[in-house]
Amino acid sequence: MASDLAGVVASVLCLAVLLSAAVGGGSLLTLSAPASGAAWGPAYGANDGSVASRVADLGGPRQVENPYGHATVQYDDAGVPHINASNRQALAFAVGYVQARDRLFQMDLQRRLMSGNLSAAFGARAVESDRFHRQMGFADAANASWRRIRDTEAGDGVRAYSAGVNRYIDARPTPFEFRANDYEPTRWTPQDTLIVGKLIAWDLTGDFRDLRGRSIRRAFPDRTDEVAALYPDQLDHDEAIVDSAVGGERNAVGEPRPELVSGDADAGLQGLYEELRPHQSEPGLGSNSWVVAGRHTEDGSPIVANDPHLSLTVPSVWYEQHLRVRGDGDDAMDVRGVAFPGVPTVVIGANEDIAWGFTNVGADQTDLYRYDRPSADTYRYRGETREFETHNETIPVKDGRDRTVRIRRTVHGPFLSRETPQGETGVAVSWVGLGDTRESVAIYELNGATDLDEVREIMRRFDSPTQNFVAADIRDGGTYFRLTGRYPVRQVGNRSVTGDRVFDGSAARVEWPGFEPYGRTNWSAFHDYDAVPEVRNPDYLATANQRTTDDPPFYIAHSPRYADPYRGERINDLLEQRATSDRPITAEYVRRMQRDVRSEAAADLLPVVADATGEMAPETRAAADRLKDWDRNMTRDSRAALLYARWLEHYRNATFGDEFRSRGLDESYFPKDHTLARLPADSRWFDDVRTGDRERRADIAARALRRAVAEIDREGWETYGDYNRLHAEHPFPLEFLDFPGRGMDGSAYTVSNFRSQRSTQAGSSWRMVVTEGESSGVIPGGQSGNPYSPRYHSQLDEWAAGEYKSMARASAGRTELVFVPADGGAE
Amino acid sequence: MSYLTPAALTAVRDRREGGLTLGAFALGLVAVLATALVPAIPPGSGLVLGGALAGLTARSLVRALQLGLYFGGLVLVCWGAALVLFGVLAPVAAATPLSLLAVALGFGLPTLAAVAVRGLV
């Protein structure tokens, strides 16, 4: 009897545990149960090279019905799909399918972010992000772009692509992230593809930095001239892109500099920048590109090099693809390169005739307007009182109560505001990307371009974002550079003005002619396409986000928006060294350039340390001696590079931190390092306002090095790679989803670019070198977003080591997918 | 023997526990396979069913516990073999803490189910 009782007790206990596991730990059980757990579903089809996959393929490649025509997909060893289709729509459908297969979660995350739908999947923590993105109306802007392009050939392609994505959603298991977070992907629409373009454009050109300048000016009312000198219109260097190009024919004719308008519209916007700042991209995104004409290369073929420095995300920002339309028809093409997941076309790459790449200009594409406000619902405009265009939207919130967001718009764009003790304060935002931009059409056409004249015509439709565009005609050796994007005409009366202030919207100051946010913009009312800087057939030309030209034909941007010139200077030096030698520029030489880690910033700044050794204690002086002997290469195994990197951080902080922080400005407001390097030895900025002494540059340099040495000892760092580590992290807090960390070469100012100190690290997100017959590229991660796939981060080691893989267009191996026409018709 | 155990079941257990256990394990594996293939079936229910069947065949409570553990181990071995065939054993094993939880559930669910059933019948 006693054992019977024990059995019942044990039984009840076990049942209780089972029940509590099912109820309390239900989601974990559902996710992790061996074999059947939701987490494991994506694993079973993740490895195309597995025994199971090969057995399944014995019956032939998997077939998918394609309403647009025939297509085949082969994957190469790196997981790059080689898609061969009977026409461009059939191709787009197949691209949609394979991108969804490899990156559906990433695609969904991007559209959710921009349309303000993150909370529906991830809960209340995303509400503020959703509120901002809905207020900005990015989804309406994508709708406007779709209305503009839907009746074009590119529009047909976007439609077919969307159908391909949806075919995958219908047919295959959802990716891990959907299962782990217990939600399902919704249907993909053409607007979702266009909103991915808006996301990229916003990251590269959307910001509220006009308010940043205002915050700085208000913080230092007593040092107006000194502060203005910290943020000059132009940094003092000779590396402007167009001006340092060698050879070629330039179109841009310098005109008198635009005049500054007064800043009197800046009043009453306290705290707004700080509130909006989280929604703009962090500084530090940049890129390198250069083009070399055939006359400087070994075989007469030009070379295009491009390595965009974007966030090092998991999965990788880019998706590589090789797209081919068979035959001799008008839509025949053969192009390989990288796309943003969600975009059907190759954004950076090469076809049989043309190679091209992009870097960010840094152009000022946003203007802000403030208003006289008679009431909460109205604003004054051109002497009359207008009501905001207003509507409410509901933000669905997973596991929480839904939120309502009030959307207000003026004639200039969305109205963003914050509450202050003095009442509501806000600005309307004009951003070029809120117009019905046509960059998707331009890229679609670029994929099939055959010569540089055609390219130049195509880029007329590349309305946004503003990019340094380099291209080369692989066959005839020609080269080309121009700025893409549309540049608003900013005028007061007949005077051209800059756009770095908040304008008086009530007085209709500096409105952009032709601009219709969310509507049909008249792009021809922007600056004339032929007046936008371009260089035809340069011998060589390099872009590294530095100033476009010393004498722009109109206001493009001021120095805070451009990069320091160090990368540009180094690239120009390396190109010149080789071009003026008796040796040709080769693809291998260009690849070595992309791996270059010499810091021109270190060369510029370190004389300050050498001059300060008299102020140093022996231990600090030993560090200074090490820096003196250093070759300026930011390599992971270098102790001196570590000393320099930490010294610079402390030097910057010791110079500006005391004044800026005491006035409520953090390090994001500090001037550029190029400016720091040029402060005179007795500049007042070196004086530490917290001490009774009057510090000079040498005191601060010595202090910074002393702090760097102490910090390095404290942290236990031995070399630069201990500090400069890769942490590429997945949005989900599961360690196995992250890419493996490692010490890295490179810095923000080296050609081989790696920025470890951003909240999301940034660096070379795609390295590409294209020349006829020897093209190569690599991404910092892998093709597949499936964490169980052998291609999840299969290129990471190559990327970190500065190696490349071929971008050949040859047949890649066995056919894994066949898309068959829905009607069984001809191919 | 429990309060609810029919005498016939006791007799069968005593006579043919080995054969019954094999049958229970086979049925349990089919159930696990079904849960892996049919999304509508709650994950883990195959493990619970297999454990319950194993418990039903056990001669004693301790034996039920043993058989539950054996069945769980068998499922994990079979799953591991499948992952080898799918070429994903290493990344699945690396997917901690989920993979560790899977091992714990692999042993825990059938064992609990086996003891729960054997304690009653």
Side-chain angles (χ1 to χ4, degrees), chain A residues 106-436:
Chain A
Q106 184 182 18
M107 292 160 61
D108 185 63
L109 194 65
Q110 293 175 146
R111 65 172 170 167
R112 281 185 180 278
L113 170 70
M114 287 301 277
S115 60
N117 275 312
L118 285 176
S119 305
F122 303 105
R125 66 193 144 163
V127 163
E128 284 314 305
S129 171
D130 285 349
R131 191 186 305 279
F132 167 78
H133 287 88
R134 285 171 183 264
Q135 285 177 332
M136 282 296 294
F138 293 118
D140 288 341
N143 271 327
S145 285
W146 175 239
R147 286 194 299 273
R148 186 73 177 241
I149 73 147
R150 65 185 168 194
D151 296 326
T152 66
E153 198 179 310
D156 292 339
V158 173
R159 247 187 298 269
Y161 171 86
S162 302
V165 174
N166 289 326
R167 179 61 54 84
Y168 178 82
I169 290 173
D170 290 340
R172 297 293 293 241
T174 51
F176 171 83
E177 291 91 339
F178 291 93
R179 294 157 177 255
N181 211 46
D182 195 22
Y183 74 107
E184 289 290 325
T186 53
R187 310 300 290 170
W188 191 267
T189 67
Q191 289 91 330
D192 291 332
T193 287
L194 299 187
I195 211 169
V196 172
K198 300 289 182 188
L199 166 65
I200 305 306
W202 177 254
D203 274 353
L204 295 173
T205 68
D207 62 62
F208 305 101
R209 294 198 169 86
D210 295 342
L211 290 168
R212 175 181 182 265
R214 176 201 161 279
S215 294
I216 296 168
R217 288 191 294 275
R218 285 182 63 87
F220 292 99
D222 51 330
R223 300 175 72 172
T224 308
D225 292 341
E226 283 176 89
V227 167
L230 293 181
Y231 307 93
D233 290 357
Q234 295 192 352
L235 295 179
D236 180 20
H237 67 76
D238 298 322
E239 304 297 335
I241 295 168
V242 170
D243 306 310
S244 55
V246 173
E249 181 187 340
R250 295 151 210 215
N251 74 324
V253 179
E255 291 181 358
R257 295 270 171 75
E259 297 174 50
L260 276 175
V261 295
S262 72
D264 58 2
D266 285 7
L269 297 170
Q270 288 87 338
L272 192 59
Y273 178 62
E274 286 67 26
E275 188 153 310
L276 295 175
R277 193 170 57 164
H279 303 297
Q280 68 184 13
S281 188
E282 275 183 81
L285 297 183
S287 311
N288 305 322
S289 72
W290 58 92
V291 61
V292 180
R295 67 186 73 95
H296 287 288
T297 66
E298 196 162 30
D299 60 359
S301 172
I303 299 175
V304 170
N306 190 195
D307 57 304
H309 311 152
L310 303 177
S311 295
L312 299 174
T313 57
V314 179
S316 303
V317 166
W318 297 102
Y319 183 77
E320 189 177 357
Q321 54 193 15
H322 172 204
L323 315 179
R324 182 166 174 258
V325 175
R326 299 187 287 267
D328 303 319
D330 289 344
D331 63 352
M333 66 166 201
D334 189 346
V335 60
R336 178 168 179 166
V338 287
F340 296 107
V343 172
T345 43
V346 167
V347 176
I348 295 174
N351 62 26
E352 290 178 308
D353 300 302
I354 304 293
W356 69 92
F358 294 99
T359 65
N360 199 28
V361 173
D364 185 350
Q365 293 273 284
T366 309
D367 275 342
L368 306 176
Y369 302 87
R370 60 166 296 277
Y371 305 92
D372 299 327
R373 304 269 308 281
S375 70
D377 300 321
T378 59
Y379 64 101
R380 296 285 294 170
Y381 178 68
R382 291 184 186 272
E384 62 182 51
T385 298
R386 292 195 176 196
E387 289 194 354
F388 288 109
E389 184 189 320
T390 304
H391 69 277
N392 290 336
E393 292 183 9
T394 299
I395 303 174
V397 180
K398 184 182 181 185
D399 301 329
R401 65 178 173 80
D402 292 350
R403 311 291 208 280
T404 299
V405 56
R406 190 170 174 223
I407 314 293
R408 287 183 294 177
R409 292 172 183 166
T410 74
V411 293
H412 297 108
F415 186 77
L416 307 179
S417 66
R418 72 183 289 265
E419 291 296 334
T420 71
Q422 292 74 39
E424 187 190 34
T425 180
V427 290
V429 184
S430 283
W431 174 56
V432 174
L434 294 178
D436 52 346

Side-chain angles (χ1 to χ4, degrees), chain A residues 377-522:
Chain A
D377 300 321
T378 59
Y379 64 101
R380 296 285 294 170
Y381 178 68
R382 291 184 186 272
E384 62 182 51
T385 298
R386 292 195 176 196
E387 289 194 354
F388 288 109
E389 184 189 320
T390 304
H391 69 277
N392 290 336
E393 292 183 9
T394 299
I395 303 174
V397 180
K398 184 182 181 185
D399 301 329
R401 65 178 173 80
D402 292 350
R403 311 291 208 280
T404 299
V405 56
R406 190 170 174 223
I407 314 293
R408 287 183 294 177
R409 292 172 183 166
T410 74
V411 293
H412 297 108
F415 186 77
L416 307 179
S417 66
R418 72 183 289 265
E419 291 296 334
T420 71
Q422 292 74 39
E424 187 190 34
T425 180
V427 290
V429 184
S430 283
W431 174 56
V432 174
L434 294 178
D436 52 346
T437 58
R438 300 162 295 174
E439 62 280 353
S440 54
V441 174
I443 290 289
Y444 180 88
E445 294 171 347
L446 189 59
N447 278 211
T450 55
D451 62 52
L452 292 177
D453 289 335
E454 185 184 358
V455 166
R456 187 177 186 281
E457 283 308 300
I458 286 169
M459 298 317 276
R460 284 182 188 278
R461 289 175 284 284
F462 199 104
D463 301 317
S464 174
T466 43
Q467 297 285 288
N468 298 302
F469 173 73
V470 295
D473 187 322
I474 297 171
R475 295 192 191 281
D476 79 1
T479 54
Y480 183 60
F481 163 83
R482 77 167 292 115
L483 296 196
T484 70
R486 293 292 175 169
Y487 298 82
V489 173
R490 295 174 166 105
Q491 286 192 316
V492 174
N494 291 325
R495 292 182 305 149
S496 291
V497 299
T498 60
D500 58 350
R501 305 289 169 112
V502 178
F503 296 117
D504 184 348
S506 291
R509 294 264 281 188
V510 196
E511 291 183 326
W512 300 352
F515 182 60
E516 188 66 42
Y518 317 112
R520 190 168 181 98
T521 288
N522 175 15

